Amino acid sequence: MKKVKDIVFGSLNISLSIIVLFASFMVLVPKVEASSKEPNTIAEYRQELNNLKAKKKRIENEKKLTQQEINEKNLAINKAHQNIEESEAKIEEAKIEIEASQTEILKYEEKTKELMKYNQVVKGENAYLNFVNDASSLTELIMRLDAINLIAEYNKDQLNTLEDLINELEKKQVDLKNYEKQLNKDIDSFTARIDELDSSLLAFDDDRMDLEEEIKAIEEKIEMYKNAGCGENEALDVCLAKGGTNKTFMKPVTKGYITSLFGYRNVSGQSSNHSGIDIGVAEGTTVYSMINGVVAFTVKKASCGGNKVYIEGIVNGQKYTVVFLHLLSINVKAGDVVTTQTVVGKSGGRSTATRYGGYDRCTTGAHLHVSVSKGYWKNDATYRANLINPPGFPKTKGAWFYSRTQWFD
Ligand SMILES: [Zn+2]
């Protein structure tokens, strides 16, 4: 996953017209419908491979669009933060101006008060009588009183102007605060949209394959069938029946306890469908095949799921694919015929985890993940659609089993 910063600075110029162009292109590209029938010849697997390659192209376009929208939203968030910063600066300016005006007002009020006091004094009876006897002094008194009134009037005007200014600044502050509120709302909604888009880019399930892996898997599978001597159009269930059949599943480890159940669960706040069960076992625990069958393919150091082994076989007449994830090491390869006594590998999950310096971001602690899907592996989507709760394991979290044959209904 790219850092937000990289995304923001990685692609600064996104034009809407490109998006519209892509969007209309997306609509025009016909969806490649996966046939529900399981391939039973190498030729049919080749068809599946072509479908996957077409799907890969389509998904890459979708990802591009999603990434573009994330970039846009990040830019918008950055802009909003900038606007908030500018708005904060303006609010600060207004605050300073208001304070200065208030100081001014105090000064004018002080001056006016002094003038009024003086007015009172000169209007005092003694002063008035003194002036009555002296006409020139009386004129002077009247002029002086007029001057006082004029100055007082001027001061009042100044006070009004300053008070208006303060009102205006206070209103501006309120407007700016409201503007900031709106920007913060925008940021929240952009962030929510980015989360949404991010989670559509990220797979939280611990064994979702990326298409690259899926294509490699099917190529390995075709190779395996060819090496097994299956003809291009030969029925694979006949060709592949060398693993023998099984009456039931066996446990992959001699003991362990369930740390996570099959189905919906919450991972870092995101609801995800857990494709199997997690068994708490120390790292390095020997992992056996749960069925007699054939290794369909392996995936090495996947960014989600780590080392994976896919085994195909028949139990009670039903075809299954049994999968182990997060392995520390793999002991088998595609085409290997395995029995329930075959050591498939060693369990991992901790040292392999990204957070402890490993390569697998979909594990956090030592455990073995087991998935069981009905049918042989055809592609990731079909495999996921046919997942079942791995049979025979304890059905509650934390519950232990103590042997490879212990069965829980
Ligand atoms: Zn798991």
Side-chain angles (χ1 to χ4, degrees), residues 171-223:
K171 195 182 165 295
K172 192 173 157 195
Q173 277 186 320
V174 170
D175 288 348
L176 286 167
K177 284 275 174 215
N178 285 335
Y179 175 56
E180 280 183 26
K181 232 182 252 170
Q182 186 52 50
L183 287 171
N184 276 316
K185 238 192 243 167
D186 288 351
I187 289 175
D188 284 349
S189 89
F190 292 156
T191 307
R193 180 68 185 142
I194 286 176
D195 283 350
E196 206 179 294
L197 292 167
D198 268 348
S199 57
S200 79
L201 283 180
L202 268 177
F204 286 96
D205 293 344
D206 51 6
D207 74 343
R208 193 179 289 275
M209 278 186 171
D210 62 41
L211 269 172
E212 202 63 55
E213 288 168 356
E214 210 178 341
I215 285 167
K216 233 191 241 160
I218 211 161
E219 281 169 348
E220 190 170 344
K221 229 185 149 185
I222 289 173
E223 205 50 37

Side-chain angles (χ1 to χ4, degrees), residues 126-140:
N126 290 341
Y128 181 71
L129 280 175
N130 285 342
F131 284 120
V132 167
N133 300 322
D134 184 343
S136 70
S137 291
L138 181 62
T139 312
E140 198 187 322

Side-chain angles (χ1 to χ4, degrees), residues 50 61 71 93 145 147 163 214 350 363 365 384:
N50 289 339
N61 274 336
N71 292 349
E93 269 171 39
L145 285 175
E163 267 161 13
E214 210 178 341
R350 190 187 151 92
T363 178
R384 300 182 71 78

Side-chain angles (χ1 to χ4, degrees), residues 1 62-64 66-67 70 196-203 361:
M1 193 57 214
E62 275 167 23
K63 267 192 183 166
K64 206 189 237 166
T66 306
Q67 196 55 63
I70 289 177
E196 206 179 294
L197 292 167
D198 268 348
S199 57
S200 79
L201 283 180
L202 268 177
R361 68 184 156 82

Side-chain angles (χ1 to χ4, degrees), residues 206-207 260 265 274-279 325-326 362 367-371:
D206 51 6
D207 74 343
S260 190
R265 63 174 180 178
H274 193 211
S275 61
I277 54 164
D278 291 342
I279 302 169
L325 305 182
H326 316 300
C362 295
H367 77 282
L368 172 68
H369 173 108
V370 176
S371 281

Side-chain angles (χ1 to χ4, degrees), residues 246-256 258 277 289-291 315-316 320 322 340 370 372 388-396 399-409:
N246 306 265
K247 285 210 168 84
T248 185
F249 292 88
M250 280 179 72
K251 303 285 168 293
V253 288
T254 51
K255 68 173 182 184
I258 309 301
I277 54 164
S289 176
M290 285 162 62
I291 54 172
V315 183
N316 278 332
Y320 289 100
V322 178
T340 51
V370 176
V372 177
I388 58 166
N389 194 0
F393 287 93
K395 302 292 185 282
T396 48
W400 282 79
F401 59 90
Y402 296 96
S403 84
R404 294 195 59 211
T405 52
Q406 201 177 354
W407 190 267
F408 301 80
D409 274 316

Side-chain angles (χ1 to χ4, degrees), residues 339-357:
T339 72
T340 51
Q341 299 312 309
T342 304
V343 174
V344 169
K346 301 270 181 207
S347 70
R350 190 187 151 92
S351 67
T352 56
T354 317
R355 71 167 65 172
Y356 300 116

